[in-house]
Amino acid sequence: MTDALFDFDRLIDRRSLPSEKWGRYAGRDVLPLWVADMDFAAPPAVIEALHRRIDHGVFGYTDAWPALEQAVVEGLRRDHGWTIQPDWLVWLPGVVAGFNLACAIAGEAGDGVLTATPVYPPFLTAPANTGRVLQRAELVLGDGRWQWDWDALEAACTPTTRLLLLCSPHNPVGRVFDEAELRRLADFAARHDLLVCSDEIHCGLVLDADRTHRPLAALDEAIARRTITLMAPSKTWNIPALYCAFAIIPDPALRRRYRHAMRGIVPHVNVLGMVAAEAAYRDGDAWRRALLDYLRGNRERVLEVLGAMPGLTTTRPEATYLAWVDCRAMMAARGVSDPAAFFEAAGVGLSDGAAFGAPGFVRLNFGCPRATLDEALARMARALGA
């Protein structure tokens, strides 16, 4: 059932306007469950704030204002128990720019950037964009959860490693890392004297009621001094194309280095994005909680139906609206070389795991009305004869 105040079951026609998600399959009967944006209207509080700003009619250059900063500060304290100072905030047009900047200030050309795979594809290309070298440690599956392979992480770290690039909560495997895991990562970074850039864009989308997102930099002052935390309202409140994000950098010297790297390269944030961010953090929590209830229902539907499909396995995502699906048994049984292409031919567009560093997997976005999800899952089942 959808929330009485917010109708997540409503089917909104996204084919009628330009849309990366739906435009990929223009003119074809393919349901897009790939790129990480949801098919839900933004929260009413956000839409109303945008209307008020648009009605003003003047869109001049604008820096972040105190009420916006305070909304973020209070939102992080409320949702994550993290008390930050407004001057720690560095505003950005997106987190991808944010972690590319982190690569740029980490050591010199030829130095290493370490991350855990599978991971959000821009993590894999960011090091080379600034002349750095990608270093990878694979996550491992154990007891139904994707986990750190601590030996592999140590082995992948070399004397030239300068940056640990972290995704938390993790995209695509949906992990909410336990505090013990985060403390071990903090210890690892300290022992190897690494800068840490933690992309926490999915922090507002923890699905498990018994779990909470803990920002890495909130553990203690020592890890905070070496950490750049990236956040945005874009995933939680479904406003990605408004292009508003921020870095939280407690250490003044690190913050100065980061701002220096931005000069002449990174544009100012869209004023409407900042308006939306203020409304989301200040007035969007009821919508977010209703969304989480709806996504939990979608998650259970995905787990139930995929669990009955021959050759497919998945794990329960603890956060995000993304399911990470292992298709390798299906590929072997059917002689399929490209699972994303196989399901696209059946009318469902999924993200190819190869782009995340894991061929043989697909990522399924269940941030959509239940009717869309049910039809997509039915198409997948028919393609597998299930």
Side-chain angles (χ1 to χ4, degrees), residues 259-276:
R259 288 189 183 278
H260 182 80
M262 294 171 61
R263 295 191 306 180
I265 298 173
V266 179
H268 290 286
V269 178
N270 181 344
V271 64
L272 295 182
M274 292 191 288
V275 167

Side-chain angles (χ1 to χ4, degrees), residues 123-340:
F123 273 49
L124 303 178
T125 55
N129 290 341
T130 53
R132 274 62 176 172
V133 177
L134 175 68
Q135 299 169 321
R136 296 168 44 165
E138 302 297 324
L139 297 173
V140 292
L141 187 60
D143 299 324
R145 301 176 87 198
W146 288 93
Q147 302 183 35
W148 292 91
D149 183 334
W150 299 107
D151 291 339
L153 191 67
E154 292 285 353
C157 188
T158 73
T160 66
T161 306
R162 298 290 179 265
L163 173 67
L164 175 63
L165 199 52
L166 176 65
C167 190
S168 175
H170 196 278
N171 171 16
V173 305
R175 273 298 316 282
V176 177
F177 295 124
D178 304 333
E179 183 156 336
E181 293 172 295
L182 295 175
R183 290 199 176 278
R184 193 162 178 178
L185 286 170
D187 175 71
F188 172 83
R191 284 189 291 105
H192 293 282
D193 193 22
L194 302 180
L195 179 66
V196 181
C197 183
S198 185
D199 174 0
E200 304 189 8
I201 196 171
H202 290 279
C203 62
L205 294 168
V206 176
L207 299 177
D208 286 357
D210 60 344
R211 301 185 192 281
T212 57
H213 172 75
R214 181 81 158 139
L216 180 70
L219 294 179
D220 56 49
E221 290 185 10
I223 187 61
R225 284 195 297 270
R226 63 174 69 247
T227 300
I228 298 163
T229 303
L230 301 175
M231 292 183 176
S234 57
K235 301 301 181 186
T236 302
W237 288 282
N238 203 35
I239 49 174
L242 290 179
Y243 293 106
C244 176
F246 50 88
I248 304 167
I249 310 176
D251 183 76
L254 180 57
R255 192 163 61 246
R256 284 193 296 271
R257 285 169 55 201
Y258 196 81
R259 288 189 183 278
H260 182 80
M262 294 171 61
R263 295 191 306 180
I265 298 173
V266 179
H268 290 286
V269 178
N270 181 344
V271 64
L272 295 182
M274 292 191 288
V275 167
E278 180 185 355
Y281 282 104
R282 188 186 60 220
D283 301 318
D285 198 52
W287 185 92
R288 182 182 73 92
R289 292 181 183 279
L291 169 71
L292 291 176
D293 284 340
Y294 193 85
L295 292 177
R296 289 183 190 107
N298 277 4
R299 175 181 65 175
E300 297 310 309
R301 184 69 176 145
V302 168
L303 293 172
E304 174 191 358
V305 177
L306 285 183
M309 292 187 195
L312 301 186
T313 57
T314 190
T315 54
R316 176 181 293 272
E318 299 161 358
T320 78
Y321 44 80
L322 306 166
W324 185 238
V325 185
D326 187 346
C327 304
R328 290 174 294 180
M330 179 273 288
M331 295 166 65
R334 294 174 174 266
V336 171
S337 61
D338 184 338

Side-chain angles (χ1 to χ4, degrees), residues 16-91:
S16 61
L17 293 173
S19 161
E20 181 181 7
K21 184 178 184 180
W22 287 80
R24 170 177 280 196
Y25 307 110
R28 300 168 58 194
D29 182 19
V30 178
L31 295 174
L33 272 60
W34 65 289
V35 69
D37 80 38
M38 298 184 285
D39 290 329
F40 307 128
V46 169
I47 295 172
E48 290 164 8
L50 290 170
H51 276 300
R52 288 194 297 271
R53 185 65 182 81
I54 290 169
D55 288 344
H56 181 270
V58 178
F59 306 102
Y61 297 119
T62 308
D63 292 323
W65 51 91
L68 165 59
E69 294 174 333
Q70 197 57 37
V72 171
V73 169
E74 291 176 359
L76 295 185
R77 185 185 301 119
R78 176 193 66 222
D79 297 337
H80 308 299
W82 189 18
T83 299
I84 70 166
Q85 300 303 316
D87 65 357
W88 296 359
L89 294 168
V90 179
W91 294 89

